[in-house]
Amino acid sequence: MSYDSCGALLDGLRRATAEKVGPYGLDDGPMMPGSPESGMAKRGPHAAAQAPDAPPAHSRTNAHEADADEPDLVKTDGRRIVALTDGGLRVIDPATRKVVHRLKLPGHHGTGQMLLSGDRVLVLHEGSSMISYPRPVPPSRDGLLPKPVSSMTRLTLVDLSAAPEVVGTMTTEAGYLDARQSGATVRVVMRNRPKIEFPGHRRAGEQEAVAANRAAALKAPLDAWLPKFRVEAGGAAKTYAPPCDQVSRPASYTGSTMLSVLTFDLSQGLGDPQAIAVAADGSTVYGNGKSLYVTGTPPHPLTRSKAPAQGTDVYKFDVGRQGRPRYVAAGSVKGDLLNQYSMSEHAGNLRLATTVGRFDPGRGRSESSVHVLAQDGDRLTEIGRVDGLGKGERIYSVRFIGATAYVVTFRQVDPLYVLDLNDPRRPRLTGELKITGYSAYLHPTADGKLLGIGQDADTTGRTRGLQVSLFDVSGAQPRRVASYQLEGASSQAEFEAHAFLYWPRSGLTVIPVTRPDGGMSEALALKVSGTSITKAGTIRHPSGTYGGGVRRSLVVGDTLWTFSMDGARATDAATLANTAWLPFG
């Protein structure tokens, strides 16, 4: 529910923060990266019948859901390729295989991420900026030394209709979690911790320190919690914040951290971000174009002697309409999520796969579950659950496809579990396959099979190198029908789904691979068809400033493009013959 007034909001935030402080203030632990189901057919290329002016068939960013694009390092619409490099953009014409535009992005250091819609690119970047002080460093009014580093999130909107130019920016001290795009509409999720200077560390005893910190929390102004978003466009600048009546609190508690969801229509440029907020914390984002979910770990007082029970809180937002989204419900489940692929909404219900208990090989203290939550008013209530998966193990990968769930756990062998979720109130385990090694990422293929990217292992659980497995999941029991191993190697695709490319038309599968000698990563191209996985070849980039490591790949027409920080290489998608090298330097 939303707060009735700014006074009620401030009182709730003050009390929640005061309950959480310890002798050194707030310490919520490290923020997890934001780190992110469509049916198998939805992942396919554009229809074969195309208008004369339609772009060539092309791949998209490997996103979790077909209707919710995700930010990445490289984007294409078939007519052009946009690559985000260190501090700037490169625009490539795939027809002529040339870099046609370069744009330096002010305020951007490193790579960040981006989204593409028509002639607009939104670049999302989070970094830290050093604050310069004269010497000696002056204390603040209460005698505390100021923090020397501040976080800064910057969103930059670039117009590509002619020579690329920056047409708007948004800056904030809130931390960036993740974003999702449907059409020209982008939802950006931010996380903002309260900006309060806690004096407790100057006190002699722990009780006195906690008391001083609580007093500071109970006196802090509302601005300490509410994030501010400064938008500059068209020569004007304006600062926005979530209105008090657009800040909600979960039914169970009020948090001291603020989750914000911003909305931008890229076709209209940057303006009022229409921010809404929830007094809660979060780390993992999942969206499907209609609903947006953010999950986090429940808060607990730092003075509590025992660690809290494992659990995951879930916050649901309705993003199915244009304009400002709505916070609609919250719930919780036991256990921890692996990543966004541990979540999926189907027929209005949210499914989650979690691991509960300490992972302690040989003692069976951990096990995994699949939960089904249904919305009941402002609550997400569990209506079904399957327990007992992988006792003594933890989840390594999850994939929900329609009403079926595939869960991989691992300790010494890889159990691939298949669960039938057709009846959400009575989900059931229907199949199980045990093999050595594990799959860290699962991807549906064009013919209804399941492809796994992970590690081979011996019978003791010791990993031996990259393993790509093809599973037939059409029968009552899953079967592995093909595999490919590369001893001592690993792939970024094991933990970063955006690095994975599968082209259904030909079965071409491309992943970055790092060899055991620690050298540069190369692109491994495989052909997946029927019941076989065969090596098509490898693609390497010249070793340059960044070592030439391949990080992304995509297909435009008959050309396979691979990307590193040093440049882009074009190869024939059928023969892997080199056709062009485009350096970014």
Side-chain angles (χ1 to χ4, degrees), residues 410 412 435-438 454-467 480 485-490 494 514 516:
F410 177 74
Q412 293 179 321
I435 57 175
T436 56
Y438 62 85
Q455 289 283 305
D456 185 22
D458 60 24
T459 55
T460 68
R462 183 184 297 274
T463 58
R464 298 189 291 200
L466 177 70
Q467 178 170 262
R480 185 166 70 175
Q485 287 87 20
L486 190 58
E487 186 176 355
S490 61
E494 296 176 41
T514 301

mmCIF file of all heavy atoms in Angstrom, residues 410 412 435-438 454-467 480 485-490 494 514 516:
data_model
loop_
_atom_site.group_PDB
_atom_site.id
_atom_site.type_symbol
_atom_site.label_atom_id
_atom_site.label_comp_id
_atom_site.label_asym_id
_atom_site.label_seq_id
_atom_site.Cartn_x
_atom_site.Cartn_y
_atom_site.Cartn_z
ATOM 1 N N PHE A 410 23.850 -29.650 -8.291
ATOM 2 C CA PHE A 410 25.155 -30.303 -8.470
ATOM 3 C C PHE A 410 25.912 -30.376 -7.153
ATOM 4 O O PHE A 410 25.865 -29.459 -6.339
ATOM 5 C CB PHE A 410 25.989 -29.529 -9.491
ATOM 6 C CG PHE A 410 27.381 -30.088 -9.681
ATOM 7 C CD1 PHE A 410 27.569 -31.263 -10.392
ATOM 8 C CD2 PHE A 410 28.497 -29.443 -9.161
ATOM 9 C CE1 PHE A 410 28.847 -31.785 -10.577
ATOM 10 C CE2 PHE A 410 29.759 -29.964 -9.339
ATOM 11 C CZ PHE A 410 29.933 -31.133 -10.049
ATOM 12 N N GLN A 412 28.343 -33.761 -6.917
ATOM 13 C CA GLN A 412 29.273 -34.671 -7.579
ATOM 14 C C GLN A 412 28.756 -35.083 -8.951
ATOM 15 O O GLN A 412 29.527 -35.312 -9.859
ATOM 16 C CB GLN A 412 29.512 -35.908 -6.712
ATOM 17 C CG GLN A 412 30.263 -35.601 -5.423
ATOM 18 C CD GLN A 412 30.453 -36.849 -4.577
ATOM 19 O OE1 GLN A 412 29.561 -37.689 -4.477
ATOM 20 N NE2 GLN A 412 31.614 -36.975 -3.967
ATOM 21 N N ILE A 435 23.973 -37.230 -14.496
ATOM 22 C CA ILE A 435 25.197 -37.377 -15.287
ATOM 23 C C ILE A 435 26.316 -36.654 -14.544
ATOM 24 O O ILE A 435 26.066 -35.866 -13.632
ATOM 25 C CB ILE A 435 25.032 -36.776 -16.698
ATOM 26 C CG1 ILE A 435 24.620 -35.298 -16.598
ATOM 27 C CG2 ILE A 435 24.024 -37.558 -17.523
ATOM 28 C CD1 ILE A 435 24.541 -34.589 -17.928
ATOM 29 N N THR A 436 27.551 -36.913 -14.936
ATOM 30 C CA THR A 436 28.663 -36.193 -14.323
ATOM 31 C C THR A 436 28.708 -34.779 -14.877
ATOM 32 O O THR A 436 28.338 -34.524 -16.019
ATOM 33 C CB THR A 436 29.995 -36.902 -14.611
ATOM 34 O OG1 THR A 436 30.149 -37.033 -16.034
ATOM 35 C CG2 THR A 436 30.033 -38.263 -13.964
ATOM 36 N N GLY A 437 29.176 -33.855 -14.037
ATOM 37 C CA GLY A 437 29.235 -32.464 -14.442
ATOM 38 C C GLY A 437 27.923 -31.760 -14.201
ATOM 39 O O GLY A 437 27.035 -32.250 -13.502
ATOM 40 N N TYR A 438 27.786 -30.559 -14.776
ATOM 41 C CA TYR A 438 26.565 -29.784 -14.574
ATOM 42 C C TYR A 438 26.369 -28.817 -15.737
ATOM 43 O O TYR A 438 27.306 -28.507 -16.488
ATOM 44 C CB TYR A 438 26.614 -28.999 -13.257
ATOM 45 C CG TYR A 438 27.722 -27.982 -13.170
ATOM 46 C CD1 TYR A 438 27.562 -26.704 -13.696
ATOM 47 C CD2 TYR A 438 28.940 -28.287 -12.571
ATOM 48 C CE1 TYR A 438 28.580 -25.765 -13.625
ATOM 49 C CE2 TYR A 438 29.960 -27.357 -12.494
ATOM 50 C CZ TYR A 438 29.777 -26.090 -13.021
ATOM 51 O OH TYR A 438 30.788 -25.170 -12.962
ATOM 52 N N GLY A 454 27.942 -25.812 -19.506
ATOM 53 C CA GLY A 454 28.470 -25.920 -18.156
ATOM 54 C C GLY A 454 29.828 -26.568 -18.111
ATOM 55 O O GLY A 454 30.677 -26.332 -18.966
ATOM 56 N N GLN A 455 30.026 -27.424 -17.114
ATOM 57 C CA GLN A 455 31.318 -28.063 -16.888
ATOM 58 C C GLN A 455 31.175 -29.576 -16.781
ATOM 59 O O GLN A 455 30.236 -30.086 -16.161
ATOM 60 C CB GLN A 455 31.958 -27.532 -15.604
ATOM 61 C CG GLN A 455 32.460 -26.098 -15.706
ATOM 62 C CD GLN A 455 33.768 -26.001 -16.476
ATOM 63 O OE1 GLN A 455 34.763 -26.667 -16.149
ATOM 64 N NE2 GLN A 455 33.780 -25.172 -17.504
ATOM 65 N N ASP A 456 32.126 -30.269 -17.387
ATOM 66 C CA ASP A 456 32.257 -31.703 -17.189
ATOM 67 C C ASP A 456 32.917 -31.933 -15.831
ATOM 68 O O ASP A 456 33.611 -31.054 -15.300
ATOM 69 C CB ASP A 456 33.099 -32.300 -18.318
ATOM 70 C CG ASP A 456 33.182 -33.811 -18.239
ATOM 71 O OD1 ASP A 456 32.306 -34.422 -17.605
ATOM 72 O OD2 ASP A 456 34.129 -34.380 -18.814
ATOM 73 N N ALA A 457 32.705 -33.086 -15.251
ATOM 74 C CA ALA A 457 33.307 -33.391 -13.953
ATOM 75 C C ALA A 457 33.498 -34.895 -13.835
ATOM 76 O O ALA A 457 32.848 -35.687 -14.531
ATOM 77 C CB ALA A 457 32.425 -32.880 -12.814
ATOM 78 N N ASP A 458 34.421 -35.286 -12.938
ATOM 79 C CA ASP A 458 34.573 -36.713 -12.675
ATOM 80 C C ASP A 458 33.579 -37.135 -11.600
ATOM 81 O O ASP A 458 32.759 -36.338 -11.145
ATOM 82 C CB ASP A 458 36.018 -37.046 -12.285
ATOM 83 C CG ASP A 458 36.480 -36.313 -11.032
ATOM 84 O OD1 ASP A 458 35.614 -35.921 -10.209
ATOM 85 O OD2 ASP A 458 37.699 -36.134 -10.863
ATOM 86 N N THR A 459 33.649 -38.369 -11.173
ATOM 87 C CA THR A 459 32.666 -38.904 -10.227
ATOM 88 C C THR A 459 32.782 -38.306 -8.833
ATOM 89 O O THR A 459 31.875 -38.458 -8.013
ATOM 90 C CB THR A 459 32.797 -40.428 -10.131
ATOM 91 O OG1 THR A 459 34.149 -40.761 -9.786
ATOM 92 C CG2 THR A 459 32.426 -41.080 -11.459
ATOM 93 N N THR A 460 33.890 -37.592 -8.557
ATOM 94 C CA THR A 460 34.038 -36.937 -7.258
ATOM 95 C C THR A 460 33.538 -35.502 -7.278
ATOM 96 O O THR A 460 33.524 -34.843 -6.246
ATOM 97 C CB THR A 460 35.511 -36.943 -6.815
ATOM 98 O OG1 THR A 460 36.278 -36.079 -7.683
ATOM 99 C CG2 THR A 460 36.089 -38.341 -6.850
ATOM 100 N N GLY A 461 33.151 -35.022 -8.444
ATOM 101 C CA GLY A 461 32.686 -33.653 -8.566
ATOM 102 C C GLY A 461 33.747 -32.669 -9.003
ATOM 103 O O GLY A 461 33.472 -31.480 -9.132
ATOM 104 N N ARG A 462 34.972 -33.144 -9.259
ATOM 105 C CA ARG A 462 36.038 -32.241 -9.702
ATOM 106 C C ARG A 462 35.819 -31.906 -11.178
ATOM 107 O O ARG A 462 35.726 -32.792 -12.022
ATOM 108 C CB ARG A 462 37.408 -32.899 -9.517
ATOM 109 C CG ARG A 462 38.585 -31.982 -9.905
ATOM 110 C CD ARG A 462 39.891 -32.737 -9.779
ATOM 111 N NE ARG A 462 40.116 -33.142 -8.403
ATOM 112 C CZ ARG A 462 40.686 -32.373 -7.482
ATOM 113 N NH1 ARG A 462 41.086 -31.151 -7.801
ATOM 114 N NH2 ARG A 462 40.868 -32.835 -6.251
ATOM 115 N N THR A 463 35.722 -30.601 -11.476
ATOM 116 C CA THR A 463 35.447 -30.185 -12.850
ATOM 117 C C THR A 463 36.660 -30.408 -13.745
ATOM 118 O O THR A 463 37.809 -30.310 -13.305
ATOM 119 C CB THR A 463 35.027 -28.707 -12.905
ATOM 120 O OG1 THR A 463 36.055 -27.894 -12.336
ATOM 121 C CG2 THR A 463 33.729 -28.492 -12.147
ATOM 122 N N ARG A 464 36.367 -30.685 -15.033
ATOM 123 C CA ARG A 464 37.435 -31.024 -15.976
ATOM 124 C C ARG A 464 37.462 -30.122 -17.203
ATOM 125 O O ARG A 464 38.410 -30.187 -17.976
ATOM 126 C CB ARG A 464 37.268 -32.480 -16.417
ATOM 127 C CG ARG A 464 37.377 -33.473 -15.280
ATOM 128 C CD ARG A 464 37.419 -34.903 -15.748
ATOM 129 N NE ARG A 464 36.148 -35.353 -16.312
ATOM 130 C CZ ARG A 464 35.817 -36.646 -16.424
ATOM 131 N NH1 ARG A 464 36.668 -37.585 -16.014
ATOM 132 N NH2 ARG A 464 34.651 -36.997 -16.939
ATOM 133 N N GLY A 465 36.446 -29.282 -17.384
ATOM 134 C CA GLY A 465 36.455 -28.406 -18.541
ATOM 135 C C GLY A 465 35.060 -28.186 -19.095
ATOM 136 O O GLY A 465 34.064 -28.732 -18.599
ATOM 137 N N LEU A 466 34.983 -27.384 -20.133
ATOM 138 C CA LEU A 466 33.711 -27.020 -20.733
ATOM 139 C C LEU A 466 32.946 -28.251 -21.220
ATOM 140 O O LEU A 466 33.535 -29.173 -21.795
ATOM 141 C CB LEU A 466 33.953 -26.072 -21.913
ATOM 142 C CG LEU A 466 32.714 -25.637 -22.698
ATOM 143 C CD1 LEU A 466 31.859 -24.698 -21.870
ATOM 144 C CD2 LEU A 466 33.117 -24.983 -24.010
ATOM 145 N N GLN A 467 31.629 -28.233 -20.989
ATOM 146 C CA GLN A 467 30.771 -29.302 -21.486
ATOM 147 C C GLN A 467 29.487 -28.699 -22.031
ATOM 148 O O GLN A 467 28.804 -27.935 -21.347
ATOM 149 C CB GLN A 467 30.437 -30.293 -20.372
ATOM 150 C CG GLN A 467 29.502 -31.419 -20.796
ATOM 151 C CD GLN A 467 29.395 -32.495 -19.743
ATOM 152 O OE1 GLN A 467 30.055 -33.523 -19.805
ATOM 153 N NE2 GLN A 467 28.577 -32.251 -18.734
ATOM 154 N N ARG A 480 20.237 -37.434 -22.234
ATOM 155 C CA ARG A 480 21.267 -36.674 -22.924
ATOM 156 C C ARG A 480 21.603 -37.425 -24.211
ATOM 157 O O ARG A 480 22.039 -38.577 -24.169
ATOM 158 C CB ARG A 480 22.521 -36.499 -22.071
ATOM 159 C CG ARG A 480 23.552 -35.598 -22.772
ATOM 160 C CD ARG A 480 24.645 -35.129 -21.858
ATOM 161 N NE ARG A 480 25.544 -36.209 -21.469
ATOM 162 C CZ ARG A 480 26.647 -36.029 -20.747
ATOM 163 N NH1 ARG A 480 26.960 -34.806 -20.315
ATOM 164 N NH2 ARG A 480 27.405 -37.049 -20.420
ATOM 165 N N GLN A 485 32.885 -31.760 -25.260
ATOM 166 C CA GLN A 485 33.758 -31.353 -24.155
ATOM 167 C C GLN A 485 35.018 -30.665 -24.688
ATOM 168 O O GLN A 485 35.516 -31.013 -25.766
ATOM 169 C CB GLN A 485 34.171 -32.552 -23.299
ATOM 170 C CG GLN A 485 33.072 -33.107 -22.408
ATOM 171 C CD GLN A 485 32.211 -34.134 -23.103
ATOM 172 O OE1 GLN A 485 32.623 -34.723 -24.110
ATOM 173 N NE2 GLN A 485 31.004 -34.352 -22.601
ATOM 174 N N LEU A 486 35.497 -29.717 -23.907
ATOM 175 C CA LEU A 486 36.758 -29.044 -24.215
ATOM 176 C C LEU A 486 37.545 -28.969 -22.907
ATOM 177 O O LEU A 486 37.253 -28.151 -22.030
ATOM 178 C CB LEU A 486 36.514 -27.650 -24.784
ATOM 179 C CG LEU A 486 37.714 -26.916 -25.371
ATOM 180 C CD1 LEU A 486 38.356 -27.725 -26.504
ATOM 181 C CD2 LEU A 486 37.319 -25.540 -25.879
ATOM 182 N N GLU A 487 38.509 -29.849 -22.772
ATOM 183 C CA GLU A 487 39.213 -30.040 -21.505
ATOM 184 C C GLU A 487 39.872 -28.755 -21.021
ATOM 185 O O GLU A 487 40.547 -28.050 -21.772
ATOM 186 C CB GLU A 487 40.268 -31.131 -21.658
ATOM 187 C CG GLU A 487 40.946 -31.500 -20.341
ATOM 188 C CD GLU A 487 41.925 -32.649 -20.498
ATOM 189 O OE1 GLU A 487 42.007 -33.216 -21.611
ATOM 190 O OE2 GLU A 487 42.612 -32.985 -19.508
ATOM 191 N N GLY A 488 39.643 -28.452 -19.747
ATOM 192 C CA GLY A 488 40.277 -27.313 -19.095
ATOM 193 C C GLY A 488 39.701 -25.958 -19.438
ATOM 194 O O GLY A 488 40.118 -24.949 -18.876
ATOM 195 N N ALA A 489 38.733 -25.897 -20.329
ATOM 196 C CA ALA A 489 38.205 -24.613 -20.784
ATOM 197 C C ALA A 489 36.971 -24.215 -19.990
ATOM 198 O O ALA A 489 36.350 -25.021 -19.293
ATOM 199 C CB ALA A 489 37.879 -24.671 -22.273
ATOM 200 N N SER A 490 36.591 -22.947 -20.117
ATOM 201 C CA SER A 490 35.366 -22.431 -19.508
ATOM 202 C C SER A 490 34.765 -21.403 -20.455
ATOM 203 O O SER A 490 35.414 -20.969 -21.411
ATOM 204 C CB SER A 490 35.657 -21.792 -18.140
ATOM 205 O OG SER A 490 36.552 -20.696 -18.287
ATOM 206 N N GLU A 494 28.464 -19.492 -19.202
ATOM 207 C CA GLU A 494 28.045 -20.250 -18.024
ATOM 208 C C GLU A 494 27.377 -19.350 -16.987
ATOM 209 O O GLU A 494 26.534 -19.805 -16.217
ATOM 210 C CB GLU A 494 29.243 -20.966 -17.396
ATOM 211 C CG GLU A 494 29.870 -22.026 -18.288
ATOM 212 C CD GLU A 494 31.111 -22.627 -17.661
ATOM 213 O OE1 GLU A 494 31.080 -22.869 -16.441
ATOM 214 O OE2 GLU A 494 32.114 -22.835 -18.379
ATOM 215 N N THR A 514 37.371 -19.597 -22.926
ATOM 216 C CA THR A 514 38.701 -19.280 -22.423
ATOM 217 C C THR A 514 39.468 -20.577 -22.246
ATOM 218 O O THR A 514 39.000 -21.498 -21.560
ATOM 219 C CB THR A 514 38.624 -18.526 -21.086
ATOM 220 O OG1 THR A 514 37.891 -17.316 -21.276
ATOM 221 C CG2 THR A 514 40.017 -18.189 -20.570
ATOM 222 N N PRO A 516 42.536 -23.211 -21.104
ATOM 223 C CA PRO A 516 43.130 -23.446 -19.777
ATOM 224 C C PRO A 516 44.437 -22.701 -19.535
ATOM 225 O O PRO A 516 44.825 -22.501 -18.391
ATOM 226 C CB PRO A 516 43.343 -24.961 -19.750
ATOM 227 C CG PRO A 516 43.346 -25.387 -21.180
ATOM 228 C CD PRO A 516 42.398 -24.462 -21.870
#
